[in-house]
């Protein structure tokens, strides 16, 4: 079976559980994902299905993608993503993956793109302690020593330094599924997930 679905992060809210406790949840809108292409080991070397979601006007599709959809005989979609499966021959073009498949699922793994923070120093990026805050100190938020003096006279690869922060693919595992709304195609998971509002996320059965 297809163990994942793609959707958009709508935002966070809170709901009341049966024991009258407040549960913080993230709302994910996962419209029905349509199988646009079936990839088998015989034709592509591996077993997978290509899922499409998101409405788009045909005139806004570029020529390479228009040819792709025309060859498959499917309606154009805005986003295409792949999901590995054990036997792709069980599926055919046009099949739908909906939130109903997650009705009995207790835990999910959610993958998204984290918010971009731009150029950040080592204190914000890696949690370095920094130096003393007093007026006499001349070492406040700098990274400090990054290598040796004479040998090997270079900075090793992988040293934590200032640089671009965020915009990374992040997976949060074992999030509890609080509620499934099949009418509005919503999945409510406990806690936060990566990315900002309207970010594309993958929800996979844990």
């Amino acid at each position: 079976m297809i163990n994942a679905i793609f959707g958009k992060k709508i935002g966070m809210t809170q709901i009341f559980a049966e024991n009258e406790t407040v549960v913080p949840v993230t709302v994910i809108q996962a419209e029905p994902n349509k199988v646009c292409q079936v990839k088998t080991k015989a034709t592509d070397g591996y077993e997978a299905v290509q899922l499409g979601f998101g409405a788009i006007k045909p005139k806004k599709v570029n020529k390479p993608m228009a040819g792709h959809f025309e060859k498959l005989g499917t309606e154009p979609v805005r986003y295409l993503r792949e999901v590995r499966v054990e036997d792709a021959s069980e599926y055919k073009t046009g099949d739908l993956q909906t939130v109903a498949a997650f009705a009995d699922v207790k835990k999910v793994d959610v993958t998204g793109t984290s918010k971009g923070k731009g150029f950040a120093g080592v204190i914000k990026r890696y949690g370095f302690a920094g130096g003393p805050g007093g007026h006499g100190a001349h070492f406040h938020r700098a990274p400090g020593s990054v290598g040796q003096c004479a040998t090997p006279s270079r900075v090793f690869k992988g040293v934590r330094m200032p640089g671009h922060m965020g915009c990374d693919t992040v997976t949060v595992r074992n999030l509890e599924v609080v509620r499934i709304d099949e009418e509005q195609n919503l999945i409510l998971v406990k806690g936060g997930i990566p990315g900002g509002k309207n970010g594309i996320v993958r929800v996979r059965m844990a």
Side-chain angles (χ1 to χ4, degrees):
M1 64 178 297
I2 302 175
N3 66 348
I5 191 171
F6 294 87
K8 285 187 176 182
K9 175 181 176 179
I10 301 301
M12 292 196 69
T13 184
Q14 59 187 23
I15 61 174
F16 286 93
E18 295 179 356
N19 57 359
E20 297 184 358
T21 58
V22 176
V23 180
V25 296
T26 302
V27 182
I28 302 171
Q29 185 165 34
E31 296 180 359
N33 291 186
K34 182 172 61 176
V35 176
C36 295
Q37 185 179 7
V38 177
K39 298 191 174 185
T40 62
K41 191 169 291 185
T43 58
D44 300 275
Y46 62 98
E47 301 283 331
V49 292
Q50 189 181 75
L51 298 178
F53 57 101
I56 187 174
K57 294 180 179 178
K59 67 178 182 180
K60 291 190 175 183
V61 180
N62 58 29
K63 287 187 177 181
M65 293 308 300
H68 177 71
F69 292 122
E70 184 178 355
K71 179 181 177 181
L72 299 172
T74 61
E75 291 291 327
V77 291
R78 186 175 294 275
Y79 306 105
L80 289 175
R81 298 290 189 273
E82 275 191 12
V83 176
R84 294 291 186 104
V85 293
E86 292 184 359
D87 186 7
S89 61
E90 298 178 359
Y91 311 97
K92 62 181 184 297
T93 303
D95 289 350
L96 294 179
Q97 171 79 338
T98 65
V99 296
F102 290 77
D104 298 326
V105 177
K106 303 298 183 184
K107 302 276 187 177
V108 293
D109 300 337
V110 180
T111 302
T113 303
S114 62
K115 290 182 179 180
K117 307 292 185 180
F119 189 94
V122 291
I123 289 181
K124 179 176 180 179
R125 196 179 186 195
Y126 295 112
F128 281 22
H135 295 287
H138 296 278
F139 173 69
H140 297 297
R141 298 180 68 89
S145 176
V146 295
Q148 298 76 21
C149 175
T151 304
S153 297
R154 64 186 177 89
V155 178
F156 288 124
K157 290 183 179 179
V159 174
R160 294 178 294 175
M161 291 179 132
H164 185 271
M165 180 181 177
C167 292
D168 296 318
T169 300
V170 181
T171 300
V172 181
R173 302 184 185 278
N174 294 321
L175 290 175
E176 180 184 343
V177 177
V178 179
R179 186 177 300 171
I180 299 289
D181 189 339
E182 297 183 17
E183 292 185 2
Q184 299 184 10
N185 301 311
L186 299 178
I187 301 176
L188 276 64
V189 296
K190 184 177 180 179
I193 64 174
K197 294 180 180 178
N198 295 320
I200 302 297
V201 295
R202 182 189 71 173
V203 183
R204 185 172 61 87
M205 301 174 187

